[in-house]
Amino acid sequence: MISIRENIVRLDTPNTTLLIDTDGEIPQYLYYGKRLPPLKDGCAFLRPEKERTGALLDRQILSQFGRGDYRESSLLLRDADGSVASRFVFRKAETAEKPAAANLPGARDAAATVKIQLCDQPSGIVCNVFYSAFEDTDAVAVSTELLNEGERPVLVGKLASLQLDLNGNDYTVSTFDGSWAAERIRHDRTVGNGLFVNQSKTGSSSALHSPMFLVSDTEGVFGFNLVWSGNHKETAESNSFGVTRIIVGESDFLYEVRLGPGERLLSPEAVMCRASGEEELTKAMHAFVNAHILPKRFSGVPRPVLFNSWEGTGFCFDAGKLVSMARQAKALGAELFVVDDGWFGRRNDDASSLGDWSANPEKTGGGLEALSARIRETGLRFGIWTEPEMISEDSDLFRAHPEYAMAVPGRDPYRHRNQLMLDITLPPVKEYIVRSVGDIIEKSGADYVKWDYNRNMSDLPANGRNAVHYFRRYILSLYEILASLTKKYPDVLFEGCAAGGGRFDLGILSFMPQIWTSDNTDARERLDIQFSTALMFPQAAMGAHVSASPNGFTRNSTPLETRFNVACGGNLGYELDPETLSIKDRRTIRAQIAFYKKYRALFQFGTYYLLERKHASEICGYLSVSPKKNAAVGSVFVRNKETGKGNFRFSFKGLLPDAVYCVTERRQSNYASAHTFTATGALLMYGEIGLDGIFEDADAPENSNCIFSRMFVLKKIK
Ligand code: GLA
């Protein structure tokens, strides 16, 4: 997978090859694209041309200020005396162990790693750039490390994980931006000549700008992501010489790390992947996340169908209500009941009690032990919500330890959702969180914990140290806490959440195998969120729930079957009060859950395809195909029904062209009498399939411009 010959570092993945030329001061990219056969006659002609003014035609693996290159750079060092200059020069390239640092997550089970080492002679700072390849995915993990082998400290002002300089300056950059309840909405733009920045300065990977990032040309797409949950920055900069520089890593906003003699700093791990198109990129990234990021204990393990109390009850419930909901959820086929916010302290709205993680005796019927025992008696597993990184000023914890809150002495802190954050960089706070979450798990015997995070950072404390790398210390402290809890409770299924999907990233997924994708459960709006998330994150990483109709936020009405068909794109759950359901809806949900369970492995772990429109922009869908391509399941959606429009058609993907499949349409109102037809994979993929009767068939609310859908099951019969 990795060879180093005649100054050329070669890294192969199943379908791609990366060539780096080390014959020069700074190693240069020669090639990153489709996999190449063995190189017989050298590849010097791939080298960048030389130009008079400096490094503007170079395609370097790292860049620094002041060597004739004034573009965005991946590395910035400042001497402790305040001077700024560096000259990193190539030293050696060798195969190596994949780098690791305490509490920093990274992909596991790499097949091979190469280390390219450079050194800045006067300061004695060594820089290692690592590239790791894997057997089963084209994704490549890249990280950069600094070692101070000199005698004086330096200040690191920026340490990106990855730099990739590309020929060409007509790339389209795709970012995934948004806000609460509108996470990861896709935006495509051409970079042209200029600098494009995608960045989070919130302290988390954020709902504003996700670290997932695409750079496309006519040949295909480069996909990037980061195994990191904090501030990040991705830039694309094109120059007039026709070179585009991509830099991916931690943000340099309020970033400065002092690196003393003998000390080492490792960047978070970036992931890059070259693919012929987005379909291939998704395949590679899903394989990467499933096999190398998600905790091993949960990789490939079916996720339970859960019922969550939040949208059904809000803060207003007692034990009787929860137990009765659980009983009904069990009758519908659910496997896990999650008691969401409101069970602790005096938490009857969002203004109090964060930090007081002891059960409210009235609302839990005598404590967590009693409540979880009663829920379990219904036959369901027990799950619980918590928001460990936060503190309410109206809490016993704050009254006893105001110094635990993230705040700057003498200033009135910024509040969001009436809450402050805990300063988890303080050892007693870390201990408090590990102890209190452990206590919740032990008292309740929880099988599942939803770990929420409902605001972003402000008022960064100095705590006797400089606050400039507070963001980084915060995330490393979070990872330390998560590592300790997941080690102690390896069988607990943790689900990440950050006011929905505000911290949906590979760092969180390294500890928690799934994340609540968004608080937005409106079927139409949710589709965009799930589809763009699924570009780089596998189905089993996405929590997806059916909620009530009309939707609590948008007031849109959607047929129950359509809501189900959307939620089947991730880990199915329900988030509504089962006591409000009609007999018909109960019957429907029972059939839905039974259907999902039957095809759960396919839904959660199948090879994922987005089904796009054929002639009509209103059509979209997804399909999960088994590894051997002998079965598939998925849904197709028509977003709008407009008078005078019709002829809605689509095609399947990922099938064996010569095989014959039996296709069963799971129609909404009469799925009991299945509609089936048979056809070759070729016809199903290249032909245009009609959606006969899709509007009449749906149990659509009167006068609503709702979203219509149909589920399909495909089985290979020949
Ligand atoms: C956040 C989460 C929701 C729910 C509420 C409870 O908004 O995203 O799912 O848990 O908090 O307060």
Side-chain angles (χ1 to χ4, degrees):
M1 291 209 122
I2 286 177
S3 67
I4 305 165
R5 233 172 271 143
E6 291 168 14
N7 300 323
I8 304 289
V9 172
R10 174 177 178 146
L11 178 149
D12 289 306
T13 71
N15 302 296
T16 66
T17 295
L18 175 69
L19 298 178
I20 296 171
D21 180 8
T22 61
D23 185 21
E25 200 161 305
I26 303 243
Q28 309 259 345
Y29 291 103
L30 292 185
Y31 176 85
Y32 186 26
K34 284 197 177 69
R35 184 160 174 157
L36 300 172
L39 300 177
K40 295 246 158 44
D41 305 318
C43 50
F45 57 89
L46 294 171
R47 288 202 173 115
E49 292 165 26
K50 292 284 167 231
E51 44 80 36
R52 279 177 296 118
T53 48
L56 296 177
L57 279 163
D58 284 359
R59 289 189 286 138
Q60 304 174 339
I61 65 165
L62 70 79
S63 53
Q64 55 202 313
F65 168 77
R67 305 298 308 167
D69 181 351
Y70 295 96
R71 288 171 287 171
E72 189 77 8
S73 54
S74 59
L75 188 61
L76 186 70
L77 297 186
R78 200 148 54 83
D79 200 273
D81 69 8
S83 57
V84 179
S86 65
R87 182 179 182 187
F88 280 91
V89 173
F90 173 72
R91 216 191 223 178
K92 60 178 176 183
E94 60 194 17
T95 53
E97 286 291 302
K98 191 163 175 291
N103 303 319
L104 190 66
R108 58 168 194 276
D109 300 334
T113 298
V114 62
K115 173 170 96 181
I116 302 183
Q117 186 168 88
L118 301 94
C119 180
D120 176 53
Q121 206 71 49
S123 66
I125 305 292
V126 169
C127 178
N128 292 320
V129 186
F130 294 89
Y131 297 82
S132 298
F134 303 83
E135 295 281 354
D136 48 2
T137 168
D138 290 323
V140 175
V142 189
S143 50
T144 303
E145 172 187 66
L146 293 178
L147 306 169
N148 188 345
E149 293 182 355
E151 277 154 19
R152 286 149 52 94
V154 290
L155 299 171
V156 183
K158 182 172 183 185
L159 178 64
S161 308
L162 155 76
Q163 175 172 318
L164 180 65
D165 285 359
L166 301 166
N167 282 325
N169 56 0
D170 49 358
Y171 290 95
T172 300
V173 163
S174 307
T175 57
F176 300 86
D177 320 272
S179 59
W180 171 75
E183 298 91 340
R184 291 172 295 289
I185 304 299
R186 181 181 180 139
H187 298 101
D188 299 338
R189 310 118 171 139
T190 306
V191 185
N193 275 353
L195 172 64
F196 185 87
V197 181
N198 179 61
Q199 177 166 235
S200 168
K201 301 195 278 189
T202 62
S204 70
S205 49
S206 94
L208 275 75
H209 305 290
S210 164
M212 61 193 262
F213 186 66
L214 308 182
V215 176
S216 322
D217 58 11
T218 49
E219 307 289 305
V221 58
F222 297 92
F224 304 94
N225 214 335
L226 203 55
V227 190
W228 183 244
S229 309
N231 285 347
H232 59 88
K233 184 173 178 183
E234 296 73 31
T235 55
E237 184 172 10
S238 295
N239 65 15
S240 58
F241 287 85
V243 174
T244 297
R245 167 169 297 171
I246 313 293
I247 297 180
V248 173
E250 218 180 319
S251 168
D252 52 353
F253 172 65
L254 294 182
Y255 179 98
E256 192 171 80
V257 178
R258 185 180 179 281
L259 199 64
E263 287 182 341
R264 164 180 184 250
L265 177 65
L266 179 64
S267 75
E269 194 164 281
V271 186
M272 68 174 184
C273 182
R274 174 59 164 165
S276 56
E278 289 182 18
E279 211 164 285
E280 292 304 315
L281 177 74
T282 295
K283 222 181 268 176
M285 288 298 198
H286 281 205
F288 173 74
V289 178
N290 275 326
H292 304 287
I293 292 288
L294 299 186
K296 213 171 200 147
R297 160 74 181 78
F298 288 95
S299 145
V301 174
R303 306 299 161 74
V305 176
L306 63 81
F307 249 82
N308 177 300
S309 65
W310 177 245
E311 284 202 28
T313 65
F315 294 104
C316 179
F317 56 79
D318 60 17
K321 174 71 184 171
L322 295 176
V323 173
S324 145
M325 283 170 81
R327 206 172 286 128
Q328 301 195 37
K330 170 69 185 168
L332 297 173
E335 296 158 315
L336 169 78
F337 188 80
V338 181
V339 177
D340 209 282
D341 198 353
W343 58 268
F344 53 93
R346 284 171 292 100
R347 182 87 167 164
N348 295 317
D349 55 35
D350 64 14
S352 87
S353 302
L354 293 172
D356 294 348
W357 300 110
S358 49
N360 176 321
E362 287 88 57
K363 291 174 90 174
T364 54
L368 273 187
E369 296 91 334
L371 178 64
S372 64
R374 286 178 69 190
I375 301 278
R376 265 181 240 285
E377 269 163 29
T378 68
L380 293 181
R381 284 180 258 161
F382 182 75
I384 191 147
W385 178 96
T386 174
E387 197 180 358
E389 298 159 71
M390 301 292 162
I391 184 166
S392 306
E393 285 158 289
D394 181 8
S395 67
D396 293 342
L397 182 66
F398 187 81
R399 283 181 282 274
H401 293 288
E403 77 284 6
Y404 281 11
M406 190 190 289
V408 175
R411 286 185 180 275
D412 188 30
Y414 171 73
R415 295 169 184 84
H416 181 79
R417 211 191 188 207
N418 302 308
Q419 65 199 55
L420 301 179
M421 291 184 63
L422 282 170
D423 182 356
I424 68 170
T425 66
L426 301 174
V429 177
K430 263 183 246 182
E431 283 156 28
Y432 178 79
I433 295 179
V434 171
R435 205 171 50 243
S436 54
V437 177
D439 199 45
I440 294 172
I441 294 173
E442 279 174 26
K443 282 202 173 118
S444 65
D447 305 283
Y448 162 109
V449 171
K450 178 174 168 188
W451 183 295
D452 212 340
Y453 171 91
N454 275 310
R455 62 158 291 177
N456 278 313
M457 293 182 207
S458 62
D459 303 280
L460 310 180
N463 291 337
R465 302 162 76 173
N466 195 335
V468 286
H469 67 294
Y470 185 85
F471 290 120
R472 177 181 170 80
R473 283 193 284 127
Y474 184 95
I475 296 297
L476 291 176
S477 303
L478 172 66
Y479 291 155
E480 186 184 336
I481 292 168
L482 293 179
S484 140
L485 283 165
T486 51
K487 188 159 171 235
K488 194 155 178 210
Y489 305 104
D491 296 331
V492 172
L493 173 62
F494 283 90
E495 175 152 356
C497 177
R503 205 165 57 180
F504 203 118
D505 59 66
L506 298 174
I508 294 294
L509 285 173
S510 304
F511 299 97
M512 311 201 202
Q514 57 189 59
I515 300 177
W516 176 226
T517 312
S518 174
D519 276 351
N520 191 337
T521 50
D522 177 274
R524 182 185 282 125
E525 297 187 2
R526 180 84 177 194
L527 272 183
D528 287 327
I529 298 173
Q530 286 185 193
F531 285 161
S532 50
T533 306
L535 257 168
M536 290 214 198
F537 298 98
Q539 307 93 300
M542 293 194 284
H545 300 174
V546 172
S547 63
S549 176
N551 184 272
F553 296 123
T554 62
R555 309 308 299 159
N556 288 333
S557 298
T558 311
L560 180 53
E561 291 287 25
T562 294
R563 283 175 273 148
F564 168 71
N565 291 350
V566 173
C568 285
N571 296 327
L572 176 69
Y574 289 78
E575 193 161 333
L576 42 77
D577 182 354
E579 297 188 312
T580 60
L581 294 169
S582 66
I583 292 176
K584 180 163 175 269
D585 284 353
R586 272 168 222 254
R587 208 183 315 123
T588 304
I589 292 181
R590 214 173 294 126
Q592 290 177 341
I593 296 180
F595 174 83
Y596 185 83
K597 284 181 181 167
K598 187 165 171 200
Y599 297 104
R600 171 169 17 206
L602 254 184
F603 277 124
Q604 296 182 350
F605 302 107
T607 309
Y608 186 88
Y609 293 89
L610 280 182
L611 306 177
E612 310 97 359
R613 53 208 75 148
K614 276 268 154 134
H615 309 306
S617 61
E618 296 88 345
I619 299 215
C620 56
Y622 64 85
L623 190 72
S624 273
V625 182
S626 69
K628 291 197 173 132
K629 303 180 180 238
N630 48 13
V633 65
S635 261
V636 175
F637 304 89
V638 179
R639 288 169 185 265
N640 289 306
K641 175 182 179 243
E642 289 173 55
T643 316
K645 282 199 174 175
N647 198 13
F648 297 107
R649 292 181 174 273
F650 75 99
S651 306
F652 289 110
K653 285 184 182 169
L655 307 174
L656 295 167
D658 297 328
V660 178
Y661 292 87
C662 171
V663 182
T664 306
E665 297 181 341
R666 188 173 184 275
R667 293 199 175 192
Q668 300 211 348
S669 53
N670 54 355
Y671 49 78
S673 57
H675 297 246
T676 59
F677 59 94
T678 57
T680 60
L683 204 54
L684 294 168
M685 290 192 293
Y686 316 140
E688 296 170 335
I689 302 160
L691 286 165
D692 227 17
I694 189 163
F695 301 122
E696 295 73 43
D697 173 48
D699 208 355
E702 284 295 306
N703 301 324
S704 82
N705 177 18
C706 68
I707 163 169
F708 296 85
S709 68
R710 184 169 294 164
M711 181 79 81
F712 292 88
V713 179
L714 285 78
K715 284 200 180 127
K716 177 169 165 270
I717 49 172
K718 258 193 263 169

